[in-house]
Structure formats: structure tokens, C-alpha cells
Amino acid sequence: HDETTATELVHTASRALSRANLKAQPAYDFYTSQLDLEIYRRHQLEQSLRNAIQQDELFLEYQPKVDIWSGQILACEALIRWDHPEWGRIPPQDFIPLSEEGHCYLPIGEWVLETVCRTIQSLLQQQSPVVPISINLSSKQLLHRDFVDTVRTCLHRYHVPARYLQLELQENALLHESEFVKETLQQLHQLGIELILDGYGSGVSSLSSLQTHPISSLKLDRSFVARLEEDDRPVPLIKSIVYLAKEFQLSVVAEGIETLHQLDQFRDLECHAVQGYLFSRPVGIEALRPLLKQGVLQPVESLKKSPKKPLPSLHGLISITRLNGKDVNVGASPILITRSTNRSVHFYASIRLPVDHQIELSLQLTDKIGRAHV
Ligand code: C2E
Ligand code: MG
């Protein structure tokens, strides 16, 4: 069903063949046009990630963590953003794993550390209120021999007291349980840096790592919020985590809180702090300053209006035909087309598509079983 002429079919079959040959053990593979476009995007991102720092395409946003009862800002999390010149805003989940597959995670990690230290320095110099800022570590960063030195040097260069820096660790970074990781975490702790275990409760949720390492707080995995919307089944688990955290003298942060109802649920569960759109979305440094001055944030629930009746929609295919003046042939990805108001049309694709004047896209309407019409 992929193409309509013999030549095109042979062409698609040969693409499937080259993909099959890439596998560890050459086997067989089926052609899917969507995969082509995804592989193409990934390849493009991989190529340009190396230059993203030099091209000034990375920047940070900051999201406050607030006291669950008072709304007082306790700290902020720095979240990396990439504005790609062609593909637009790329979410960290799309490029952090790419950076970890190559070696880019090191320069990117150092850029984040340095940018955060510079931000803290400028807040301190301007005598605006300052709270600790946390950065997310890619699990490989911790295994790097010079990591503690890099952090120490950076704090020193920007005259930042270590208590203003927090590090968020993925649990899998601790699973190695190696002496080296243990020693690294001890040294960071001795410098005065607070260590936070991120996404707790989603993976192995090791109890021993809470005891072995100098962790000061746990961030409950964001998936708990969605799971609590369905039923009460996660409640005993969250209660046990909070109980344990108390025993180990750790604070518990609930992440991804969007509604007052969710806030109440986590208050009942005796969490200490929250981070989520209900209090603030991640914001640029300019928008953060007034929030820090304010000191206390009020929960603001966004009004989510669901459409009363489903909008009419059409199926289609989208592809890139020209890029920077050159013809490309990268297959197509299914899309759904809806009219949202009298003046606008929306395209929903399963992959993120670029919107840029250097890119020529082609759209094709199909019927429900995927046959092309136009
Ligand atoms: P994370 O550390 O769990 O970060 C929290 C994520 O939750 C952020 O997504 C944030 O924007 C999102 N979030 C916060 N409040 C809400 C809410 O109320 N509702 C919803 N739906 N989402 C909320 P983001 O910025 O896309 O980051 C995703 C992940 O990428 C982060 O997860 C972190 O693991 C990683 N990441 C971000 N910045 C960095 C970085 O500088 N270095 C490394 N290695 N990883 C990073
Ligand atoms: Mg985090």
C-alpha cells in the first residue's frame, strides 16, 4: 500500500533492505515512510547538536519549587531548551539522549553548570533575592573523572557559595553503586551542594541508595500525578515513600502539579514542596526575577476548556520536499488535519515537524485506510 508504481515500490523496498542490513544480524524489515522521516530528523539533530553551544541556540528556563502550604519559593530548577534554526524548539527528552549517545553531554553539562553559576552570580550582585538553583545531571556526567573539580572550579570562578547549587540525579546514575560514584557524591556533599534524587518511584526506587548516599530530597516521579487521577492505587506507595523519606530526613517534592485538586492530594500525602504549572511554568531569567522578588506564589489553575463536540478531521500525509533550496526525499508521516476556528487549520503529526521558511512541506489528503487522494 505504500506506493502506486512499480519503480516507487522497488525504491521503498530497497530502503527497507538497507535498514535491515543495518541491524546487528541482517534480517528482513518493512518499509514505513514515518520511520524515514524520524531517522532523518534524528540525523539532522545529531549533526547540529555539536554546534548548538557555539551558535548560541541553547538557553535555560527556571521553574520554581514552592512550599506546599505557603507557596514560598524554596528553590528553582534549571531546564535546558534548544531553539533549532530549522526544527524549532526541541524538547530536552529529544536531544539529551542524543547527547549521551555521543560525547556532547560533557560540553552541554558544563554549559548548563556555567550558565547557572553566572545567573546566581548576577542575582547576588544585583542584591535581588536568591534561592538555590538545581541542575539536572545526565547519568554519564557523574562517571566523569573530573566532575567534582569542574563543579568546584565553576563555583569558585563565579564566586557562588555551594549552598546555592543543587544537583538532580537520575536514579540509574546511582545503580552502578560503584565506589567512584559514592566517593563523587560524598565530595559534592562536602562542598556543600545539595543532592536531589529525581523521578523517584518510577524505576527501581532503591531504598538502599537513600541510605548509602548523602541525598537531601526526593522528587516524586511526575507519572504519579496522572496515576492518581485514575484511582487511589498509587496512594500506599506514595505514603510509604513519604514515610521513608521522613525516617531518612529527606524532603519530598511533588512534580507536575497542574490543578488545585492535585495540590490537595499531595498536601494530604504530606509532601513538603511542589513544582508545577499550577504555581509557575518554566520561565526565562527576566521573568524569574520578579517572581523571586515576590517570594510567594499563588496557585493559578488554568481554565482547560474541552470542546463540546469533536471537531471534524481529515487524514493526510506530510513530507519535506525541499530544505535550504535543495530537493530531499525523506518519506512521509501521517497527520490529522482539523479546522479549529473559521480562520485556522491545525495539523497534528506523531513526530515534531519544523516550521521554517527554508523548508518546503508537502501535504496529501488520504482516505481512512491511507490511500492518497490529492
Ligand atoms: P525533569 O527533571 O523531571 O524536569 C521536569 C519536567 O517537567 C520539565 O520538562 C518541566 O517543564 C516539566 N513540568 C514541570 N511542571 C509541569 C506540569 O505541571 N505539568 C507538566 N505536564 N509538565 C511539567 P522539560 O523541561 O521538558 O524537561 C524534561 C526532562 O529533560 C527533565 O525532566 C530532565 O530530565 C531533562 N533535562 C532538562 N534540562 C536538562 C539539563 O540541563 N541537563 C540534563 N542532563 N537533562 C535535562
Ligand atoms: Mg529534574
Side-chain angles (χ1 to χ4, degrees):
H1 301 294
D2 293 313
E3 300 291 354
T4 47
T5 69
T7 323
E8 285 164 344
L9 280 174
V10 170
H11 197 65
T12 55
S14 92
R15 283 200 226 167
L17 178 64
S18 49
R19 226 177 4 243
N21 283 333
L22 285 178
K23 293 186 176 170
Q25 286 192 322
Y28 62 87
D29 208 340
F30 293 98
Y31 168 80
T32 67
S33 56
Q34 191 181 347
L35 208 55
D36 273 2
L37 198 50
E38 266 175 34
I39 290 173
Y40 175 71
R41 176 179 184 263
R42 197 186 143 96
H43 177 73
Q44 289 264 305
L45 294 185
E46 253 167 12
Q47 295 299 312
S48 41
L49 186 55
R50 293 191 198 118
N51 298 322
I53 298 178
Q54 285 88 335
Q55 309 281 354
D56 216 11
E57 291 164 10
L58 300 179
F59 63 100
L60 293 181
E61 284 188 324
Y62 301 88
Q63 189 179 33
K65 306 175 198 178
V66 303
D67 179 275
I68 201 161
W69 293 102
S70 67
Q72 187 197 343
I73 303 179
L74 304 172
C76 287
E77 177 175 16
L79 295 157
I80 195 166
R81 307 288 178 241
W82 182 15
D83 254 342
H84 191 283
E86 281 149 5
W87 292 88
R89 182 71 76 87
I90 315 290
Q93 288 102 323
D94 281 14
F95 68 90
I96 292 295
L98 286 184
S99 76
E100 286 171 350
E101 282 167 27
H103 290 285
C104 290
Y105 67 92
L106 276 175
I108 292 179
E110 282 179 23
W111 177 85
V112 173
L113 176 68
E114 190 150 340
T115 311
V116 164
C117 286
R118 218 181 303 123
T119 299
I120 300 172
Q121 183 193 41
S122 90
L123 290 170
L124 287 168
Q125 281 172 349
Q126 289 156 6
Q127 294 178 343
S128 50
V130 194
V131 292
I133 298 182
S134 64
I135 62 180
N136 291 282
L137 291 190
S138 119
S139 35
K140 282 190 176 174
Q141 257 173 295
L142 264 190
L143 295 173
H144 204 258
R145 196 160 299 284
D146 300 331
F147 184 66
V148 179
D149 271 345
T150 310
V151 175
R152 193 188 287 120
T153 313
C154 200
L155 290 172
H156 191 71
R157 188 177 323 136
Y158 291 97
H159 309 288
V160 170
R163 64 174 184 283
Y164 287 121
L165 186 66
Q166 300 178 333
L167 300 177
E168 299 198 10
L169 318 168
Q170 301 294 322
E171 205 182 10
N172 57 7
L174 307 182
L175 286 181
H176 306 284
E177 287 291 341
S178 71
E179 274 307 309
F180 181 72
V181 170
K182 216 164 141 184
E183 183 60 25
T184 303
L185 297 181
Q186 278 302 343
Q187 288 179 12
L188 292 167
H189 175 65
Q190 275 156 15
L191 281 180
I193 296 171
E194 225 179 88
L195 302 175
I196 299 166
L197 204 48
D198 205 356
Y200 195 78
S202 62
V204 192
S205 314
S206 147
L207 301 180
S208 67
S209 58
L210 299 182
Q211 201 177 28
T212 328
H213 302 296
I215 309 279
S216 66
S217 71
L218 292 182
K219 263 183 151 178
L220 289 177
D221 193 66
R222 206 148 33 105
S223 62
F224 279 124
V225 177
R227 280 152 64 192
L228 277 174
E229 292 286 297
E230 284 164 24
D231 52 45
D232 283 345
R233 266 185 295 174
V235 168
L237 184 57
I238 303 176
K239 275 189 175 161
S240 329
I241 294 176
V242 174
Y243 172 79
L244 266 172
K246 259 193 202 137
E247 291 291 299
F248 289 122
Q249 289 160 1
L250 311 175
S251 69
V252 180
V253 185
E255 191 171 33
I257 305 298
E258 296 180 358
T259 65
L260 288 167
H261 174 66
Q262 291 162 354
L263 178 66
D264 278 343
Q265 280 177 313
F266 285 92
R267 278 176 172 166
D268 279 348
L269 290 162
E270 296 181 41
C271 292
H272 307 98
V274 284
Q275 181 181 343
Y277 296 168
L278 182 64
F279 287 92
S280 170
R281 286 183 174 258
V283 294
I285 183 65
E286 290 314 319
L288 180 70
R289 271 181 237 273
L291 297 185
L292 291 176
K293 281 218 170 83
Q294 209 175 301
V296 173
L297 302 183
Q298 298 302 324
V300 180
E301 202 161 17
S302 68
L303 299 168
K304 273 196 210 148
K305 284 188 193 138
S306 51
K308 290 202 175 61
K309 58 176 181 199
L311 294 161
S313 60
L314 290 174
H315 293 263
L317 291 170
I318 196 161
S319 181
I320 300 175
T321 50
R322 279 176 78 75
L323 186 66
N324 294 327
K326 287 196 201 115
D327 286 342
V328 287
N329 181 3
V330 290
S333 178
I335 50 168
L336 196 69
I337 306 160
T338 65
R339 196 191 72 189
S340 60
T341 66
N342 283 341
R343 286 165 190 260
S344 64
V345 176
H346 287 189
F347 302 108
Y348 297 92
S350 54
I351 70 163
R352 283 168 194 269
L353 288 162
V355 179
D356 186 278
H357 61 272
Q358 295 297 335
I359 291 170
E360 208 172 279
L361 299 168
S362 82
L363 298 172
Q364 242 184 351
L365 295 183
T366 55
D367 56 22
K368 280 194 184 116
I369 58 164
R371 273 194 313 235
H373 272 331
V374 187

